[in-house]
Amino acid sequence: MPAERDDAIGQVTTETGTVVHITPKELRHIAAAAFVGTALEWYDYFLFGTAAAIVFNRLFFSALNPTAAVLAALATFGVGFAARPVGAFLFGIIGDRVGRRPTLIMTIIFIGTATGLIGVLPTYTDVGILAPSLLVLLRLFQGIAVGGEWGGATTIAIEHAPAKRRARYAALVQVGSPAGTLLSSGVFALVLLLPPEVFDAWGWRLAFLAAFPMLLVALWIRLKVEESPVFKELVRLDKRAKVPALDVFTKSWRRLIVAVAAAFLGVGGFYVMNTFVVSYVTNTLSGDRQIVVNATLIAAVVQIGVILLFGRVAEKIGPGRVTFWGGLATAVAAWPLFALIDTNSPVAITVAVALGIGLLTITYAVTGALLTELFPPEQRYSGVSLGYNIAGALSGFLPFLATWLINASGTTASWPAVVILVVISLITAVGGIVGERLRVKDQAIVFEG
């Protein structure tokens, strides 16, 4: 039974002919809730990455030599990524069994609390080895919670959206990433204006403590969100899988591999061009840390424009094709980008970071749209979360790997980062073109509007 056409509303038509009406106001509220939560998620993650490159090496790993301290801080950053698939598995089950809405409320509470507590941690000078141990523990909690956050935010946004507008609503969730970058880099840029001794003593803590009021705002918005009509219908039809995450591995493992490949550049490439570059310029090239942090701010503004543009493009040509071309473009640009960075020129570094992050964001803009259409509704929360976060786990140690290879080579050449960026770009290009062919176009629950 087809849904009636009404330009004033979005309509969700189920396989039994049930029509659910969603007003534009409700759609905007869903998009806002997904965006705010994702912005807080990435504020926390980007903040940790920046702090790992600039301050954690000196305050939490001060017993090590400078190079080992940087590596240890970046390894701690990577630990959070290793925990993300665990969170994706656990929260994916809850999201596909209990509901999208309660799961998203749980994850945002865990993320904001873990980040805020980092701001009150004692340093190595205060309590010795307990300090880095507590830092790693909170990072693990962060990673587990983030493992269920993005997939749920994307799923609930897509499941409220009309079919022809899915890509733009998925893109709105992705805008939370550069918004989080702007917040974290902006806060860090401000606290870096403090005298060095003040920054080391307590200034850096302000950025983490700010997570508490942000959490309250995000939670207030999310509590107003209605449950996904798709999930309600799954419950009514008794179509929920017993252990959906296991079904993804046993029944949809090929789609999972494609999802991981398609998401790889959007996650891993960003941390090469952001976290690694901040560390590389600051510690290897002895450049001004303020310049490279400011460059990430400019790149975040570029990201917002790219995400909104290619969210619309994906509605015309398909998210898989956008992913393919974005991956190829980033692979071609990898060497010129790092050639600019190696000049240690403030202008060249800023251009390289903004352009590099802008290029890889082409794929990131449509990751949500592509991944949600790779999995059927009863596996969607789990499949999207696992695909995205396995990619995150594989890419979380890339800044560490690039730094280690540079130190092992005995030079300051950036070729390891170039090779890494090219490889992950090509993997994502392949994932995009294969994913376009595998998109679920005959879903049991169809959106029309």
Side-chain angles (χ1 to χ4, degrees):
M1 179 174 136
E4 297 179 3
R5 177 69 183 179
D6 189 334
D7 292 331
I9 58 175
Q11 294 179 331
V12 179
T13 304
T14 72
E15 62 179 357
T16 60
T18 302
V19 178
V20 179
H21 299 280
I22 303 175
T23 67
K25 182 179 180 180
E26 289 173 322
L27 282 172
R28 287 193 296 270
H29 194 87
I30 294 294
F35 163 79
V36 169
T38 304
L40 176 59
E41 167 194 347
W42 291 117
Y43 171 83
D44 298 345
Y45 245 62
F46 298 152
L47 188 66
F48 195 103
T50 304
I54 292 177
V55 67
F56 286 167
N57 56 317
R58 292 181 291 105
L59 297 185
F60 288 88
F61 301 96
S62 53
L64 303 174
N65 66 61
T67 299
V70 171
L71 289 172
L74 291 177
T76 303
F77 176 69
V79 163
F81 285 89
R84 283 169 60 168
V86 177
F89 188 91
L90 295 175
F91 287 112
I93 293 173
I94 300 172
D96 283 326
R97 289 288 306 172
V98 179
R100 315 327 194 185
R101 180 180 180 272
T103 311
L104 285 175
I105 291 172
M106 290 170 58
T107 56
I108 203 67
I109 291 173
F110 291 164
I111 292 170
T113 301
T115 302
L117 289 176
I118 291 174
V120 299
L121 284 180
T123 64
Y124 189 90
T125 303
D126 298 320
V127 295
I129 194 66
L130 182 61
S133 299
L134 291 172
L135 182 65
V136 170
L137 182 63
L138 289 176
R139 180 61 173 165
L140 283 171
F141 278 120
Q142 258 192 347
I144 290 172
V146 168
E149 163 62 30
W150 180 87
T154 302
T155 296
I156 201 168
I158 286 290
E159 290 184 343
H160 278 90
K164 295 179 181 179
R165 299 179 183 177
R166 286 179 187 164
R168 74 182 66 181
Y169 280 97
L172 288 175
V173 178
Q174 302 298 71
V175 173
S177 173
T181 303
L182 284 170
L183 284 171
S184 63
S185 295
V187 169
F188 239 91
L190 289 175
V191 296
L192 281 172
L193 296 175
L194 296 169
E197 63 277 8
V198 175
F199 173 80
D200 285 354
W202 54 265
W204 66 272
R205 297 180 183 276
L206 298 177
F208 287 91
L209 293 173
F212 286 129
M214 291 181 189
L215 168 61
L216 294 177
V217 173
L219 188 59
W220 176 69
I221 293 176
R222 283 213 168 160
L223 286 171
K224 295 184 175 182
V225 173
E226 292 292 328
E227 180 58 88
S228 157
V230 171
F231 181 78
K232 290 180 180 178
E233 193 68 7
L234 287 173
V235 173
R236 192 177 72 82
L237 298 174
D238 196 24
K239 284 201 165 188
R240 288 172 294 173
K242 291 184 178 180
V243 188
L246 286 181
D247 283 356
V248 172
F249 284 109
T250 58
K251 299 178 181 179
S252 302
W253 60 270
R254 293 180 181 85
R255 294 178 180 275
L256 179 60
I257 292 173
V258 173
V260 172
F264 204 10
L265 176 59
V267 183
F270 181 87
Y271 287 110
V272 171
M273 291 303 303
N274 185 305
T275 303
F276 168 75
V277 170
V278 170
S279 177
Y280 178 69
V281 171
T282 303
N283 299 300
T284 303
L285 300 182
S286 299
D288 188 336
R289 61 186 180 183
Q290 187 71 56
I291 289 172
V292 70
V293 169
N294 289 344
T296 64
L297 284 169
I298 296 173
V301 176
V302 173
Q303 270 192 293
I304 293 174
V306 171
I307 289 171
L308 295 177
L309 171 62
F310 283 93
R312 295 298 184 94
V313 172
E315 294 176 349
K316 303 294 184 182
I317 68 174
R321 293 186 182 89
V322 172
T323 301
F324 173 73
W325 290 111
L328 285 186
T330 307
V332 170
W335 182 81
L337 291 173
F338 277 95
L340 285 172
I341 291 170
D342 283 337
T343 65
N344 208 9
S345 160
V347 174
I349 290 171
T350 302
V351 170
V353 171
L355 181 59
I357 291 178
L359 285 172
L360 64 89
T361 299
I362 294 173
T363 67
Y364 184 73
V366 299
T367 298
L370 180 57
L371 266 59
T372 51
E373 292 192 341
L374 283 176
F375 300 96
E378 63 271 18
Q379 298 175 7
R380 184 171 291 141
Y381 198 126
S382 296
V384 172
S385 297
L386 285 167
Y388 187 79
N389 288 292
I390 290 173
L394 293 173
S395 61
F397 289 95
L398 292 180
F400 171 87
L401 178 61
T403 302
W404 180 82
L405 288 172
I406 288 173
N407 283 283
S409 68
T411 67
T412 59
S414 60
W415 64 265
V418 174
V419 172
I420 289 171
L421 188 57
V422 169
V423 170
I424 63 178
S425 296
L426 295 178
I427 290 173
T428 289
V430 173
I433 204 65
V434 175
E436 185 65 28
R437 297 174 180 271
L438 291 178
R439 288 169 60 200
V440 180
K441 300 176 182 178
D442 55 341
Q443 298 180 43
I445 297 175
V446 182
F447 291 77
E448 295 180 358

